[in-house]
Amino acid sequence: PGDFTGENNDAEIFVHPSGKFLYGSNRGHDTIAVFSIDQQKGILASVQDVSTGGKEPRSFAIDPTGKYLFAANQNSNTIVLFHIDPKSGRLTPTGESVNVGSPVCVLFVAR
């Protein structure tokens, strides 16, 4: 984010299954950056920077339905669940989280 002055690194980048939004984790700022993707030009526009509710979001994943994002906060030992608004791409915390020792990867596996 433009107003952040500390050290910040991106750890994960994903495009929403709809192709309309891009998400990136900010390690340092401890947020997920949300961008809309112009479908004609491929240009990104900032939508939101939302706190991951923890420290050092190393990984995140979007569930196969595109309704939820799971953010793994490596240094606070949590995976926090967010609802994805299908029209805007904005993230809203669901209030649900799981304690996991130093999570570094989130994957969805077909059964």
Side-chain angles (χ1 to χ4, degrees), residues 58-80:
R58 179 165 178 142
S59 177
F60 68 89
I62 297 170
D63 82 296
T65 70
K67 295 180 182 178
Y68 298 98
L69 182 146
F70 294 73
N73 295 297
Q74 181 180 8
N75 290 352
S76 56
N77 303 313
T78 58
I79 297 176
V80 178

Side-chain angles (χ1 to χ4, degrees), residues 80-94:
V80 178
L81 179 61
F82 295 85
H83 178 263
I84 301 173
D85 182 286
K87 293 185 192 249
S88 69
R90 293 180 69 84
L91 301 177
T92 305
T94 65

Side-chain angles (χ1 to χ4, degrees), residues 4-63:
F4 183 68
T5 58
E7 183 176 334
N8 191 54
N9 297 296
D10 189 65
E12 198 85 73
I13 298 173
F14 279 109
V15 173
H16 188 271
S18 69
K20 296 180 180 180
F21 311 107
L22 181 136
Y23 299 87
S25 59
N26 288 305
R27 298 180 74 191
H29 192 247
D30 299 333
T31 58
I32 300 289
V34 181
F35 298 89
S36 62
I37 303 171
D38 181 304
Q39 297 296 291
Q40 301 301 317
K41 299 178 183 175
I43 297 172
L44 300 178
S46 179
V47 171
Q48 174 188 38
D49 290 304
V50 63
S51 171
T52 60
K55 299 283 186 199
E56 294 287 323
R58 179 165 178 142
S59 177
F60 68 89
I62 297 170
D63 82 296

